[in-house]
Amino acid sequence: MKNYFELHEWKVIERGYNADFNRAAESVCSIGNGRMGQRANFEEHFSGDSLQGSYIAGVYFPDKTRVGWWKNGYPEYYAKVINSVNWIGIRVAINGVELDLNTCKIYDFVRELDMEKSLLTREFTAKLAGGEKIKVVARRFYSIKRLDMGLIDYSIEALNFSGEISLTPYLDFDVVNEDSNYEEKFWEETSKDQDVDFPFVEARTKKLDFRVRATMGYRIFKDGQELKATFLPSGRKKYVAHQLNIPVSEGQVLRIEKFASVVSNFYYPVDDFEGISRKQLKEARDLGFQKILDEHTTLWREKWDRHDIVIEGDLAAQQGIRFNIFHLYQTYTGDDPRLNIGPKGFTGEKYGGSTYWDTEAYCLPFYLSSAEQQVARNLLEYRYNHLEKAIENAKKLGFSKGAALYPMVTMNGEECHNEWEITFEEIHRNAAIAYAIFDYIRYTGDYSYLHEYGLEVLIAISRFWAQRVNFSEAKKQYVMLGVTGPNEYENNVNNNWYTNYAAIWCFRYTIEALEYVKSRKKDDYDRILEKTAFDEEAEIARWDEISKNMYYPRNEELNIYLQQEGFLDKEIIPAAELPADQRPINQNWSWDRILRSCYIKQADVLQGIYFFEHEFSEEQIRDHFNYYEPLTVHESSLSPCVHVILAAAIGELEKAYELYLRTSRLDLDDYNKEVAEGLHITSMAGTWMSVVKGFGGMRIKNDAIHLDPLIPEHWKECNFNVFFRGANIKVSINHSTVEVCNNAEEEAKVVLFDREYLLKKGEKAELSYPVK
C-alpha cells in the first residue's frame, strides 16, 4: 500500500476508490476528540467490505475468554472497547434506488483527512443503475470543544435528472464487533423516541450496565434555502430514523446538516441524559455546522501551535510526524485520570482498546514534553489507582506479602488478556511502570509524587521481583525462568536479559526512593511502611543480595549481552536475507518456525539500553545495535522508534532515517500489512521520540535539557517545541546552526553540545553546526 495516499504536509488524501484498500483507508482517516472516535466509514449504506466502528472512551465489555483449556489464574474475560452507536448514518435513495458505492459506478472519488482541522471530507460522483448521476460532498468531525458532539454536512447535486431524493438520517445501536466470541451482540435497547426535533435511542451494555444515549437533530437545505420538510418515522429495535422525500430538479443541490449528541453514564447521570442532549442539539442547530467547525478549527490550531514538529525538505517525513501527533491528540487528551491509551485508540477492534505497557514505555515521554504536567501525572495515577488490583493479580498467581503484578492488558486493573505467554510470562511490564515513575520525576522534578503515590507502587513491584527469581545452585546466581520479553517471537525463555536487568534496576531505584522519602518526608515514610507492612531491614537486604548476584547471559567474544540463555544456539541469518514474499513472517510462517528462528519482533536488549542508556558506553551501545538490528524484523510497531534513537546516538544517520520512515509511516504505508485492523496509536508516540530524542538528541540529565542534534542530510530544517518545568523550549536545527529559545516565563537550564545556558523568557542560545 506504499504511496497509496498522496504526500501533503497537512492532509492525507485518497484519490480514486480502491475496494481492496477501503478498510485501510477507514483506519487511516479515523477521527476522534478524546471522548469518542469513528472509523472513516461511509455515511450512506455500503454493502462492500468495511469495518464499521464507532467507539466511546471508558465504555467497555468483559467478553468471554475463549480458550480450549483452563489454567489456574487464567483471566475470566477479555475486556474490549466495543463498537457503539452508528450515528453517522444517512441512507440515500435516488428515484427509489438506494445509493451504494459497492454497486454503482464511481467517478472522481476523493477521501481526505485534514489533520490541521481534524476534518474528514469525501467527494465523489456516482452513476446509479437508472442512469442518474449525482455529486456528493460529505464533511464530518468530532467537536474538540463540544466533546459529546459529532457533526456531518452532506450534500447531493442532481447532475442529470429531475425526480425525488430520499434522505434518511438515522441512529443505530444494532451493531456488532467483528472480534466478538460466538457472534454475540453487546447492547440492548432501554428506550427510544421518534421525536420530531430530536429523535433518540438509548441502550445499555449487557454486562456492567454502561448506558449510552444517542440523539440527533438535522437541518435540510435546497439550493441554500432551509426547508421545513416533513418526514416519515421509521424504527426498528435499537434504531430510529426520519425518512425525508424531497423533489429536486436537475442541477439543484440538496444538503443536510446532521448533529449527534452521544452521552454516557461514564460522564453523566442517566437522569440527566435527556436535558443534556437536547441542550447540546439546540445549540448546535442554532449555530449550524460551519460555526461549530470554525470554533473547532481554532482550538485545533492552538494545539498545533503548541505541539507541531516542522520538517523542511522532506514531505514524506513531514506528513508522517504530523499524522502521528494528530492521532495521539485526538485519541487521548489527558484530562481524565480514569482513561488511558489503547494501542488502536478509536480506530479498530484489535487489542480491545485496553491499556498495555505501551503507555508507560512510549506514550509518557510524549505527554511529558508536550502537555501540561498534570496530564503525565494522570497517567501515573491511573496505575496507582489500580495498585490493589495488581496485588490481587499477583496473588492469583501464587505471590504474596503485597507483591504486585500489573496486568498486561486491562480496563479496570484486572488482567484481561487471553494469551498464556503474554498474560503470565511478559512480566517486564512491571518494570515499565516503575520506570515511568522515574522518568516522570526526572523530567518534572515533582518528587512529591514519590511520597504521595509512587513509593507504594515501587515497593509492591520490587516485592514481585524478589519472589519471581530463584537461586540456581548450578550457576551460584539468581535466575529468572519462564518469561517472555518484549520480543514476543521468543516465548517461555530463561534469563531474558532485559527482564533480569530491569528487575535489578527496579530494586536499585526503589531503595533510592525509600532513602529519599525517609530523609525528607519521615511522616509519610512511616505511614507508607505501616500501610505496606514493609520490613525495611530484611526486604532491602534481600533486594541487595539479588542485585549483586543476578545472572545475565553474555557472550564475551561478541562483547554483547544475549537476548536470553541459549540465543546463540539458533541459526543466525540476517533478516535482509529473508525473501520478500515471506515478510512479514508472522503472516507467512508457522508459530513453531518463528519461535525457533533468530528473528526478533523487537530487540529486548536494545529496549533495555534505550531505557538505561546512561548506564552504557557509546561502544557498548554500538556493539549491541550492530549485532541485533540486522536480526530484527520490526514486526512490532514499538520496535523502529527505539532503533532510531540509538542509531542517531551512535551517528548511524542513514539507518536512523530509514527506520524513522518506518515508524512515522508505519500506517500510512502499511509496512506490516495490518492497518485495516486499526492504527498503531501507542507507537505513534515513539515516532515523536524518534524526532525529538533521536534527531534532536534530547535527554534529561541533572535537572537540565541536554540537546545534541543531528538531522538527515536532505532535511533543510527541523523545528520542535518541548515543555520542561514551566519553560517552553523551541528548538530549530539546520545544517549550519542550532538555535534554542525559551518562550515561557520560567527560566530553563539547557545544555547544547555540552555548553550550558540558563535561558530566561525570550532568550536564545545559538551555536554553529557542527560544533567545532
Side-chain angles (χ1 to χ4, degrees), residues 254-305:
L254 191 64
R255 185 169 68 87
I256 180 171
E257 292 183 357
K258 180 180 178 181
F259 315 101
S261 167
V262 182
V263 296
S264 77
N265 63 346
F266 191 77
Y267 287 102
Y268 305 108
V270 174
D271 291 344
D272 294 345
F273 279 5
E274 181 176 2
I276 291 168
S277 299
R278 293 182 73 86
K279 180 176 183 294
Q280 291 177 346
L281 287 167
K282 284 178 181 177
E283 290 179 357
R285 197 167 61 178
D286 289 346
L287 288 169
F289 180 92
Q290 189 58 49
K291 287 184 178 178
I292 299 176
L293 175 60
D294 290 343
E295 69 181 20
H296 165 82
T297 300
T298 297
L299 290 176
W300 264 99
R301 183 65 261 168
E302 292 174 4
K303 283 183 176 292
W304 283 114
D305 288 344

Short mmCIF file of all heavy atoms in Angstrom, two decimals, residues 254-305:
data_model
loop_
_atom_site.label_atom_id
_atom_site.label_comp_id
_atom_site.label_asym_id
_atom_site.label_seq_id
_atom_site.Cartn_x
_atom_site.Cartn_y
_atom_site.Cartn_z
N LEU A 254 -29.10 19.42 -2.80
CA LEU A 254 -29.78 19.12 -1.53
C LEU A 254 -28.72 18.89 -0.48
O LEU A 254 -27.74 18.16 -0.72
CB LEU A 254 -30.66 17.88 -1.71
CG LEU A 254 -31.65 17.56 -0.59
CD1 LEU A 254 -32.70 18.65 -0.47
CD2 LEU A 254 -32.33 16.21 -0.89
N ARG A 255 -28.88 19.52 0.66
CA ARG A 255 -27.85 19.41 1.71
C ARG A 255 -28.50 19.17 3.06
O ARG A 255 -29.51 19.79 3.38
CB ARG A 255 -27.00 20.68 1.75
CG ARG A 255 -25.82 20.62 2.72
CD ARG A 255 -24.88 21.81 2.50
NE ARG A 255 -25.50 23.06 2.88
CZ ARG A 255 -25.48 23.56 4.13
NH1 ARG A 255 -24.88 22.89 5.10
NH2 ARG A 255 -26.07 24.72 4.39
N ILE A 256 -27.91 18.27 3.84
CA ILE A 256 -28.38 18.02 5.20
C ILE A 256 -27.22 18.24 6.17
O ILE A 256 -26.09 17.81 5.92
CB ILE A 256 -28.95 16.59 5.36
CG1 ILE A 256 -29.42 16.35 6.81
CG2 ILE A 256 -27.93 15.52 4.95
CD1 ILE A 256 -30.19 15.05 6.98
N GLU A 257 -27.50 18.97 7.23
CA GLU A 257 -26.57 19.07 8.35
C GLU A 257 -27.11 18.17 9.46
O GLU A 257 -28.24 18.36 9.91
CB GLU A 257 -26.46 20.51 8.87
CG GLU A 257 -25.80 21.46 7.90
CD GLU A 257 -25.66 22.87 8.49
OE1 GLU A 257 -26.14 23.09 9.63
OE2 GLU A 257 -25.07 23.74 7.82
N LYS A 258 -26.33 17.19 9.84
CA LYS A 258 -26.76 16.25 10.88
C LYS A 258 -25.89 16.46 12.11
O LYS A 258 -24.66 16.52 12.03
CB LYS A 258 -26.64 14.81 10.40
CG LYS A 258 -27.08 13.77 11.44
CD LYS A 258 -26.95 12.35 10.90
CE LYS A 258 -27.34 11.32 11.95
NZ LYS A 258 -27.20 9.92 11.48
N PHE A 259 -26.54 16.56 13.28
CA PHE A 259 -25.84 16.74 14.55
C PHE A 259 -26.20 15.56 15.45
O PHE A 259 -27.37 15.19 15.56
CB PHE A 259 -26.28 18.03 15.23
CG PHE A 259 -26.35 19.21 14.31
CD1 PHE A 259 -27.56 19.65 13.80
CD2 PHE A 259 -25.20 19.89 13.93
CE1 PHE A 259 -27.64 20.74 12.94
CE2 PHE A 259 -25.25 20.97 13.09
CZ PHE A 259 -26.47 21.39 12.59
N ALA A 260 -25.21 15.00 16.10
CA ALA A 260 -25.47 13.88 17.02
C ALA A 260 -24.85 14.18 18.37
O ALA A 260 -23.69 14.60 18.46
CB ALA A 260 -24.92 12.58 16.46
N SER A 261 -25.63 13.98 19.42
CA SER A 261 -25.13 14.05 20.79
C SER A 261 -25.08 12.63 21.33
O SER A 261 -26.08 11.92 21.31
CB SER A 261 -26.06 14.91 21.65
OG SER A 261 -25.76 14.75 23.03
N VAL A 262 -23.89 12.20 21.77
CA VAL A 262 -23.71 10.85 22.31
C VAL A 262 -23.18 10.99 23.73
O VAL A 262 -22.04 11.43 23.94
CB VAL A 262 -22.74 10.02 21.44
CG1 VAL A 262 -22.62 8.61 22.00
CG2 VAL A 262 -23.21 9.99 19.99
N VAL A 263 -24.01 10.66 24.72
CA VAL A 263 -23.63 10.82 26.12
C VAL A 263 -23.67 9.47 26.81
O VAL A 263 -24.49 8.60 26.48
CB VAL A 263 -24.54 11.83 26.85
CG1 VAL A 263 -24.39 13.22 26.25
CG2 VAL A 263 -25.99 11.39 26.80
N SER A 264 -22.78 9.30 27.79
CA SER A 264 -22.71 8.03 28.51
C SER A 264 -22.70 8.28 30.01
O SER A 264 -22.37 9.38 30.47
CB SER A 264 -21.46 7.25 28.11
OG SER A 264 -20.31 7.79 28.74
N ASN A 265 -23.04 7.23 30.77
CA ASN A 265 -23.01 7.36 32.23
C ASN A 265 -21.60 7.27 32.78
O ASN A 265 -21.40 7.30 33.98
CB ASN A 265 -23.92 6.34 32.90
CG ASN A 265 -23.51 4.90 32.65
OD1 ASN A 265 -22.69 4.63 31.76
ND2 ASN A 265 -24.07 3.97 33.41
N PHE A 266 -20.60 7.18 31.91
CA PHE A 266 -19.21 7.35 32.35
C PHE A 266 -18.97 8.80 32.73
O PHE A 266 -18.11 9.10 33.56
CB PHE A 266 -18.27 6.93 31.22
CG PHE A 266 -16.82 6.81 31.63
CD1 PHE A 266 -16.38 5.71 32.34
CD2 PHE A 266 -15.90 7.79 31.30
CE1 PHE A 266 -15.05 5.59 32.73
CE2 PHE A 266 -14.57 7.68 31.68
CZ PHE A 266 -14.15 6.58 32.40
N TYR A 267 -19.77 9.71 32.13
CA TYR A 267 -19.60 11.14 32.38
C TYR A 267 -20.82 11.80 33.04
O TYR A 267 -20.68 12.81 33.72
CB TYR A 267 -19.29 11.88 31.08
CG TYR A 267 -17.89 11.63 30.58
CD1 TYR A 267 -17.65 10.74 29.54
CD2 TYR A 267 -16.81 12.26 31.16
CE1 TYR A 267 -16.35 10.51 29.09
CE2 TYR A 267 -15.51 12.03 30.72
CZ TYR A 267 -15.29 11.16 29.69
OH TYR A 267 -14.01 10.91 29.25
N TYR A 268 -22.02 11.29 32.78
CA TYR A 268 -23.23 11.97 33.25
C TYR A 268 -24.17 10.98 33.94
O TYR A 268 -24.25 9.80 33.55
CB TYR A 268 -23.98 12.59 32.07
CG TYR A 268 -23.17 13.51 31.21
CD1 TYR A 268 -22.76 13.13 29.93
CD2 TYR A 268 -22.82 14.78 31.66
CE1 TYR A 268 -22.03 14.00 29.13
CE2 TYR A 268 -22.08 15.66 30.87
CZ TYR A 268 -21.69 15.25 29.60
OH TYR A 268 -20.95 16.11 28.81
N PRO A 269 -24.95 11.47 34.91
CA PRO A 269 -26.02 10.63 35.47
C PRO A 269 -27.06 10.32 34.39
O PRO A 269 -27.38 11.19 33.56
CB PRO A 269 -26.62 11.51 36.57
CG PRO A 269 -25.59 12.55 36.88
CD PRO A 269 -24.85 12.78 35.60
N VAL A 270 -27.60 9.12 34.42
CA VAL A 270 -28.57 8.72 33.40
C VAL A 270 -29.78 9.66 33.39
O VAL A 270 -30.32 10.00 32.33
CB VAL A 270 -29.01 7.27 33.65
CG1 VAL A 270 -30.14 6.87 32.70
CG2 VAL A 270 -27.84 6.31 33.48
N ASP A 271 -30.18 10.12 34.56
CA ASP A 271 -31.35 11.00 34.63
C ASP A 271 -31.13 12.33 33.92
O ASP A 271 -32.09 13.04 33.60
CB ASP A 271 -31.73 11.26 36.10
CG ASP A 271 -32.29 10.02 36.78
OD1 ASP A 271 -32.65 9.07 36.07
OD2 ASP A 271 -32.34 10.01 38.03
N ASP A 272 -29.87 12.70 33.69
CA ASP A 272 -29.56 13.97 33.03
C ASP A 272 -29.41 13.83 31.52
O ASP A 272 -29.21 14.84 30.83
CB ASP A 272 -28.27 14.57 33.60
CG ASP A 272 -28.41 14.98 35.06
OD1 ASP A 272 -29.56 15.08 35.53
OD2 ASP A 272 -27.38 15.22 35.71
N PHE A 273 -29.47 12.62 31.00
CA PHE A 273 -29.21 12.39 29.59
C PHE A 273 -30.08 13.28 28.69
O PHE A 273 -29.60 13.93 27.76
CB PHE A 273 -29.45 10.93 29.21
CG PHE A 273 -28.32 9.99 29.53
CD1 PHE A 273 -27.21 10.42 30.23
CD2 PHE A 273 -28.39 8.66 29.14
CE1 PHE A 273 -26.17 9.55 30.54
CE2 PHE A 273 -27.35 7.78 29.43
CZ PHE A 273 -26.25 8.23 30.13
N GLU A 274 -31.39 13.29 28.95
CA GLU A 274 -32.31 13.99 28.05
C GLU A 274 -32.03 15.49 28.03
O GLU A 274 -31.90 16.09 26.96
CB GLU A 274 -33.76 13.74 28.46
CG GLU A 274 -34.74 14.44 27.53
CD GLU A 274 -36.19 14.14 27.87
OE1 GLU A 274 -36.44 13.41 28.84
OE2 GLU A 274 -37.07 14.64 27.15
N GLY A 275 -31.91 16.09 29.21
CA GLY A 275 -31.68 17.53 29.28
C GLY A 275 -30.37 17.94 28.63
O GLY A 275 -30.30 18.93 27.89
N ILE A 276 -29.31 17.16 28.89
CA ILE A 276 -28.00 17.47 28.30
C ILE A 276 -28.05 17.35 26.78
O ILE A 276 -27.58 18.24 26.06
CB ILE A 276 -26.93 16.55 28.89
CG1 ILE A 276 -26.68 16.88 30.37
CG2 ILE A 276 -25.62 16.64 28.11
CD1 ILE A 276 -25.86 15.85 31.10
N SER A 277 -28.63 16.27 26.29
CA SER A 277 -28.65 16.02 24.85
C SER A 277 -29.44 17.10 24.12
O SER A 277 -29.02 17.63 23.08
CB SER A 277 -29.24 14.65 24.56
OG SER A 277 -28.46 13.64 25.15
N ARG A 278 -30.62 17.41 24.63
CA ARG A 278 -31.46 18.40 23.96
C ARG A 278 -30.80 19.78 23.97
O ARG A 278 -30.85 20.51 22.97
CB ARG A 278 -32.84 18.45 24.62
CG ARG A 278 -33.66 17.17 24.42
CD ARG A 278 -35.03 17.29 25.05
NE ARG A 278 -35.90 18.16 24.28
CZ ARG A 278 -36.64 17.78 23.24
NH1 ARG A 278 -36.61 16.51 22.83
NH2 ARG A 278 -37.42 18.63 22.60
N LYS A 279 -30.17 20.13 25.07
CA LYS A 279 -29.48 21.42 25.14
C LYS A 279 -28.34 21.49 24.11
O LYS A 279 -28.18 22.48 23.40
CB LYS A 279 -28.92 21.63 26.54
CG LYS A 279 -28.18 22.96 26.75
CD LYS A 279 -27.75 23.10 28.21
CE LYS A 279 -27.07 24.45 28.46
NZ LYS A 279 -25.79 24.58 27.75
N GLN A 280 -27.56 20.41 24.03
CA GLN A 280 -26.45 20.38 23.08
C GLN A 280 -26.95 20.50 21.65
O GLN A 280 -26.37 21.23 20.83
CB GLN A 280 -25.65 19.09 23.26
CG GLN A 280 -24.87 19.01 24.56
CD GLN A 280 -24.16 17.69 24.73
OE1 GLN A 280 -24.44 16.72 24.01
NE2 GLN A 280 -23.26 17.62 25.69
N LEU A 281 -28.03 19.81 21.34
CA LEU A 281 -28.53 19.81 19.97
C LEU A 281 -29.20 21.12 19.60
O LEU A 281 -29.11 21.58 18.44
CB LEU A 281 -29.47 18.63 19.76
CG LEU A 281 -28.76 17.27 19.69
CD1 LEU A 281 -29.75 16.13 19.79
CD2 LEU A 281 -27.95 17.16 18.40
N LYS A 282 -29.89 21.75 20.54
CA LYS A 282 -30.48 23.06 20.25
C LYS A 282 -29.39 24.06 19.92
O LYS A 282 -29.51 24.85 18.97
CB LYS A 282 -31.31 23.53 21.45
CG LYS A 282 -32.66 22.83 21.59
CD LYS A 282 -33.41 23.32 22.83
CE LYS A 282 -34.74 22.61 22.98
NZ LYS A 282 -35.45 23.03 24.23
N GLU A 283 -28.32 24.07 20.71
CA GLU A 283 -27.20 24.97 20.44
C GLU A 283 -26.58 24.68 19.08
O GLU A 283 -26.27 25.60 18.31
CB GLU A 283 -26.14 24.84 21.54
CG GLU A 283 -26.56 25.41 22.89
CD GLU A 283 -25.49 25.24 23.93
OE1 GLU A 283 -24.43 24.62 23.62
OE2 GLU A 283 -25.68 25.71 25.07
N ALA A 284 -26.40 23.40 18.78
CA ALA A 284 -25.77 23.02 17.51
C ALA A 284 -26.65 23.43 16.33
O ALA A 284 -26.16 23.96 15.31
CB ALA A 284 -25.52 21.52 17.48
N ARG A 285 -27.94 23.21 16.45
CA ARG A 285 -28.84 23.54 15.34
C ARG A 285 -28.92 25.05 15.13
O ARG A 285 -29.00 25.53 14.00
CB ARG A 285 -30.23 22.96 15.61
CG ARG A 285 -31.10 22.89 14.37
CD ARG A 285 -32.32 22.03 14.60
NE ARG A 285 -33.17 22.57 15.67
CZ ARG A 285 -34.33 22.02 16.03
NH1 ARG A 285 -34.74 20.91 15.45
NH2 ARG A 285 -35.05 22.55 16.99
N ASP A 286 -28.88 25.80 16.22
CA ASP A 286 -28.91 27.26 16.12
C ASP A 286 -27.63 27.80 15.48
O ASP A 286 -27.67 28.73 14.67
CB ASP A 286 -29.12 27.89 17.50
CG ASP A 286 -30.52 27.67 18.04
OD1 ASP A 286 -31.40 27.28 17.25
OD2 ASP A 286 -30.72 27.86 19.25
N LEU A 287 -26.50 27.24 15.86
CA LEU A 287 -25.22 27.73 15.34
C LEU A 287 -24.96 27.25 13.92
O LEU A 287 -24.43 27.98 13.08
CB LEU A 287 -24.07 27.26 16.24
CG LEU A 287 -23.95 27.96 17.60
CD1 LEU A 287 -22.94 27.22 18.48
CD2 LEU A 287 -23.54 29.41 17.42
N GLY A 288 -25.30 25.99 13.65
CA GLY A 288 -25.05 25.41 12.34
C GLY A 288 -23.66 24.79 12.23
O GLY A 288 -22.76 25.06 13.03
N PHE A 289 -23.50 23.95 11.22
CA PHE A 289 -22.29 23.17 11.03
C PHE A 289 -21.05 24.06 10.93
O PHE A 289 -20.03 23.82 11.59
CB PHE A 289 -22.43 22.32 9.77
CG PHE A 289 -21.24 21.47 9.44
CD1 PHE A 289 -21.15 20.18 9.90
CD2 PHE A 289 -20.21 21.97 8.64
CE1 PHE A 289 -20.05 19.38 9.59
CE2 PHE A 289 -19.10 21.19 8.33
CZ PHE A 289 -19.03 19.89 8.81
N GLN A 290 -21.11 25.12 10.12
CA GLN A 290 -19.90 25.89 9.81
C GLN A 290 -19.37 26.63 11.04
O GLN A 290 -18.16 26.69 11.26
CB GLN A 290 -20.17 26.88 8.69
CG GLN A 290 -18.91 27.55 8.17
CD GLN A 290 -17.87 26.58 7.65
OE1 GLN A 290 -18.19 25.69 6.85
NE2 GLN A 290 -16.63 26.71 8.10
N LYS A 291 -20.25 27.23 11.85
CA LYS A 291 -19.78 27.96 13.01
C LYS A 291 -19.14 27.03 14.04
O LYS A 291 -18.14 27.39 14.68
CB LYS A 291 -20.93 28.73 13.66
CG LYS A 291 -21.36 29.95 12.85
CD LYS A 291 -22.44 30.76 13.56
CE LYS A 291 -22.81 32.00 12.76
NZ LYS A 291 -23.89 32.78 13.41
N ILE A 292 -19.69 25.85 14.20
CA ILE A 292 -19.09 24.90 15.14
C ILE A 292 -17.77 24.38 14.58
O ILE A 292 -16.81 24.16 15.33
CB ILE A 292 -20.07 23.74 15.46
CG1 ILE A 292 -21.33 24.31 16.12
CG2 ILE A 292 -19.42 22.70 16.37
CD1 ILE A 292 -22.39 23.28 16.40
N LEU A 293 -17.71 24.19 13.25
CA LEU A 293 -16.44 23.81 12.63
C LEU A 293 -15.39 24.90 12.84
O LEU A 293 -14.23 24.60 13.13
CB LEU A 293 -16.65 23.55 11.14
CG LEU A 293 -15.37 23.26 10.33
CD1 LEU A 293 -14.66 22.02 10.86
CD2 LEU A 293 -15.69 23.10 8.85
N ASP A 294 -15.79 26.16 12.72
CA ASP A 294 -14.83 27.26 12.91
C ASP A 294 -14.26 27.27 14.32
O ASP A 294 -13.04 27.45 14.50
CB ASP A 294 -15.51 28.60 12.61
CG ASP A 294 -15.83 28.79 11.14
OD1 ASP A 294 -15.25 28.05 10.31
OD2 ASP A 294 -16.66 29.66 10.82
N GLU A 295 -15.09 27.07 15.34
CA GLU A 295 -14.57 27.06 16.71
C GLU A 295 -13.69 25.84 16.95
O GLU A 295 -12.68 25.92 17.66
CB GLU A 295 -15.72 27.13 17.73
CG GLU A 295 -16.57 25.89 17.80
CD GLU A 295 -17.72 25.98 18.80
OE1 GLU A 295 -18.10 27.12 19.19
OE2 GLU A 295 -18.26 24.92 19.19
N HIS A 296 -14.07 24.74 16.36
CA HIS A 296 -13.30 23.51 16.43
C HIS A 296 -11.92 23.70 15.78
O HIS A 296 -10.88 23.33 16.34
CB HIS A 296 -14.09 22.41 15.72
CG HIS A 296 -13.35 21.16 15.38
ND1 HIS A 296 -13.13 20.14 16.29
CD2 HIS A 296 -12.78 20.75 14.21
CE1 HIS A 296 -12.46 19.17 15.69
NE2 HIS A 296 -12.24 19.51 14.44
N THR A 297 -11.90 24.31 14.60
CA THR A 297 -10.66 24.55 13.88
C THR A 297 -9.73 25.48 14.66
O THR A 297 -8.51 25.27 14.69
CB THR A 297 -10.96 25.16 12.49
OG1 THR A 297 -11.77 24.25 11.75
CG2 THR A 297 -9.68 25.44 11.73
N THR A 298 -10.30 26.48 15.31
CA THR A 298 -9.50 27.41 16.11
C THR A 298 -8.79 26.68 17.24
O THR A 298 -7.60 26.91 17.50
CB THR A 298 -10.39 28.52 16.69
OG1 THR A 298 -10.94 29.28 15.61
CG2 THR A 298 -9.59 29.45 17.59
N LEU A 299 -9.50 25.79 17.92
CA LEU A 299 -8.89 25.04 19.02
C LEU A 299 -7.82 24.08 18.52
O LEU A 299 -6.79 23.89 19.17
CB LEU A 299 -9.97 24.28 19.80
CG LEU A 299 -10.91 25.16 20.62
CD1 LEU A 299 -12.00 24.31 21.27
CD2 LEU A 299 -10.15 25.94 21.68
N TRP A 300 -8.04 23.48 17.34
CA TRP A 300 -7.00 22.60 16.79
C TRP A 300 -5.77 23.40 16.37
O TRP A 300 -4.64 22.94 16.51
CB TRP A 300 -7.55 21.79 15.61
CG TRP A 300 -7.99 20.43 16.05
CD1 TRP A 300 -9.25 20.02 16.33
CD2 TRP A 300 -7.14 19.31 16.30
NE1 TRP A 300 -9.25 18.71 16.74
CE2 TRP A 300 -7.98 18.24 16.73
CE3 TRP A 300 -5.77 19.09 16.22
CZ2 TRP A 300 -7.47 16.99 17.07
CZ3 TRP A 300 -5.27 17.83 16.55
CH2 TRP A 300 -6.10 16.81 16.97
N ARG A 301 -6.00 24.64 15.90
CA ARG A 301 -4.85 25.48 15.54
C ARG A 301 -4.01 25.77 16.78
O ARG A 301 -2.77 25.79 16.71
CB ARG A 301 -5.36 26.79 14.93
CG ARG A 301 -4.28 27.73 14.43
CD ARG A 301 -3.50 27.14 13.28
NE ARG A 301 -2.22 26.57 13.70
CZ ARG A 301 -1.46 25.80 12.94
NH1 ARG A 301 -1.82 25.49 11.72
NH2 ARG A 301 -0.32 25.32 13.40
N GLU A 302 -4.66 26.00 17.91
CA GLU A 302 -3.93 26.22 19.16
C GLU A 302 -3.14 24.98 19.54
O GLU A 302 -2.01 25.08 20.05
CB GLU A 302 -4.91 26.60 20.27
CG GLU A 302 -5.56 27.97 20.07
CD GLU A 302 -6.63 28.27 21.11
OE1 GLU A 302 -6.83 27.43 22.03
OE2 GLU A 302 -7.29 29.32 20.99
N LYS A 303 -3.71 23.81 19.33
CA LYS A 303 -2.97 22.57 19.61
C LYS A 303 -1.72 22.47 18.74
O LYS A 303 -0.64 22.14 19.21
CB LYS A 303 -3.87 21.35 19.37
CG LYS A 303 -4.88 21.08 20.48
CD LYS A 303 -5.66 19.82 20.17
CE LYS A 303 -6.60 19.47 21.32
NZ LYS A 303 -5.88 19.05 22.52
N TRP A 304 -1.88 22.76 17.47
CA TRP A 304 -0.74 22.66 16.56
C TRP A 304 0.33 23.70 16.88
O TRP A 304 1.52 23.43 16.76
CB TRP A 304 -1.20 22.78 15.11
CG TRP A 304 -1.84 21.53 14.59
CD1 TRP A 304 -3.13 21.36 14.22
CD2 TRP A 304 -1.22 20.25 14.41
NE1 TRP A 304 -3.37 20.07 13.82
CE2 TRP A 304 -2.19 19.37 13.92
CE3 TRP A 304 0.07 19.78 14.62
CZ2 TRP A 304 -1.92 18.03 13.63
CZ3 TRP A 304 0.35 18.44 14.33
CH2 TRP A 304 -0.64 17.58 13.84
N ASP A 305 -0.10 24.90 17.29
CA ASP A 305 0.88 25.91 17.68
C ASP A 305 1.75 25.42 18.83
O ASP A 305 2.93 25.78 18.95
CB ASP A 305 0.17 27.20 18.10
CG ASP A 305 -0.42 27.95 16.91
OD1 ASP A 305 -0.03 27.64 15.77
OD2 ASP A 305 -1.28 28.82 17.13
#
